[in-house]
């Protein structure tokens, strides 16, 4: 379980996150929804322990986030973090070296299913293929908290469906999956809880099943 209380983040004079309090439970997929600049990425980076809040607290299974917490957290940034000269196989080896919980067999299986040659360098991959490989590597970790920042940005419908399958395949009762989007239709069919952000504030937390049955989802 993740408990956030009064999270506030300020960059110089700009307030990026303001008084966000929420509890995230295991066994659920959460969607962070809102336009660009609404605070989604800042919130995700705080939860990934990649940036520190200016005020407020985050408890992960009852303990404050530390450098050691990163061993339980897998984070997919928006932009590619693969070196252009790396091959897909190199990228898998890179993850295996840095993350003890990385499942190379799972990664290999997903890449083969996506029909991406292992010796292909990232510099020649399309944006969609690049994203699929990076999502596969992130989800191949046996992390308790999986954070995917805009996993569908820049990918076509087929790639989106493949990414969705990977997300659902790894989901379990002991995990929390967080993903961000500014397009509701990308996530409404399978997420459990939607968190709506605007101008750095968490303006609404909704049960997606209830929204679907009552009025549908719309920003």
């Amino acid at each position: 379980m993740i408990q956030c209380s009064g999270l506030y983040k300020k960059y110089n004079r700009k307030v990026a996150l303001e008084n966000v309090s929420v509890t995230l439970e295991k066994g659920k997929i959460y969607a962070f929804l809102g336009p660009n600049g609404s605070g989604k990425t800042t919130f995700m980076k705080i939860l990934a322990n990649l940036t520190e809040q200016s005020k407020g607290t985050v408890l992960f299974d009852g303990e404050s986030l530390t450098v050691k917490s990163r061993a339980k957290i897998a984070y997919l940034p928006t932009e590619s973090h693969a070196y252009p000269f790396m091959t897909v196989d190199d990228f898998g080896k890179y993850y295996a070296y840095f993350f003890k919980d990385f499942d190379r067999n799972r990664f290999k299986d997903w890449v083969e299913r996506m029909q991406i040659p292992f010796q292909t360098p990232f510099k020649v991959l399309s944006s969609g293929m690049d994203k699929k490989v990076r999502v596969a590597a992130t989800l191949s970790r046996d992390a308790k908290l999986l954070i995917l920042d805009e996993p569908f940005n820049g990918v076509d419908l087929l790639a989106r469906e493949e990414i969705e399958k990977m997300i659902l395949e790894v989901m379990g009762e002991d995990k929390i999956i967080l993903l961000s989007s500014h397009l509701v239709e990308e996530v409404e069919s399978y997420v459990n809880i939607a968190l709506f952000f605007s101008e750095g504030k968490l303006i609404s937390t909704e049960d997606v099943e209830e929204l679907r049955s009552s009025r549908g989802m719309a920003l």
Side-chain angles (χ1 to χ4, degrees):
M1 178 183 292
I2 298 173
Q3 297 168 292
C4 305
S5 179
L7 289 185
Y8 178 89
K9 179 65 178 180
K10 188 175 184 180
Y11 295 102
N12 297 320
R13 296 182 179 181
K14 178 177 175 57
V15 176
L17 209 63
E18 185 174 356
N19 195 32
V20 173
S21 298
V22 67
T23 296
L24 307 174
E25 299 178 349
K26 293 181 180 179
K28 293 185 178 180
I29 302 175
Y30 293 84
F32 293 0
L33 301 168
N36 292 333
S38 60
K40 304 187 304 292
T41 293
T42 297
F43 189 29
M44 286 184 151
K45 286 185 175 180
I46 290 174
L47 296 182
N49 199 31
L50 295 175
T51 190
E52 188 174 355
Q53 65 270 24
S54 305
K55 298 178 184 178
T57 60
V58 179
L59 297 179
F60 187 3
D61 288 339
E63 298 181 354
S64 298
L65 291 175
T66 65
V67 173
K68 292 182 179 180
S69 303
R70 295 179 186 174
K72 303 177 183 179
I73 302 169
Y75 175 72
L76 175 79
T78 304
E79 303 299 327
S80 182
H81 54 295
Y83 292 107
F85 61 82
M86 275 184 166
T87 65
V88 173
D89 189 40
D90 290 335
F91 195 63
K93 292 176 180 177
Y94 170 84
Y95 261 69
Y97 178 81
F98 281 100
F99 304 111
K100 294 181 180 179
D101 60 359
F102 182 71
D103 188 334
R104 295 189 67 175
N105 290 329
R106 175 184 289 172
F107 178 71
K108 183 174 182 293
D109 178 55
W110 276 338
V111 171
E112 288 177 345
R113 280 159 50 182
M114 293 184 290
Q115 299 182 333
I116 300 175
F118 277 91
Q119 297 309 316
T120 307
F122 270 81
K123 63 183 177 182
V124 302
L125 291 178
S126 66
S127 60
M129 293 173 72
D130 177 298
K131 181 64 67 70
K132 286 190 290 185
V133 172
R134 293 189 298 113
V135 170
T138 304
L139 295 179
S140 290
R141 289 189 54 199
D142 188 25
K144 301 305 179 186
L145 174 60
L146 298 159
I147 304 174
L148 310 175
D149 195 358
E150 296 284 359
F152 307 112
N153 189 34
V155 302
D156 58 26
L157 180 60
L158 181 59
R160 186 184 308 168
E161 291 175 350
E162 291 172 339
I163 290 171
E164 289 175 0
K165 289 177 183 177
M166 286 189 280
I167 292 172
L168 294 173
E169 199 168 316
V170 302
M171 187 56 195
E173 292 300 317
D174 64 335
K175 298 182 185 298
I176 300 172
I177 295 182
L178 313 177
L179 56 92
S180 66
S181 176
H182 57 277
L183 297 176
V184 176
E185 60 269 22
E186 289 180 339
V187 298
E188 65 175 316
S189 64
Y190 59 91
V191 301
N192 304 113
I193 305 293
L195 284 71
F196 292 87
F197 286 82
S198 178
E199 298 181 345
K201 298 178 181 179
L202 175 59
I203 59 174
S204 180
T205 301
E206 305 288 348
D207 183 286
V208 175
E209 184 61 35
E210 292 180 1
L211 285 175
R212 280 198 296 261
S213 61
S214 62
R215 57 180 174 81
M217 295 174 66
L219 284 176

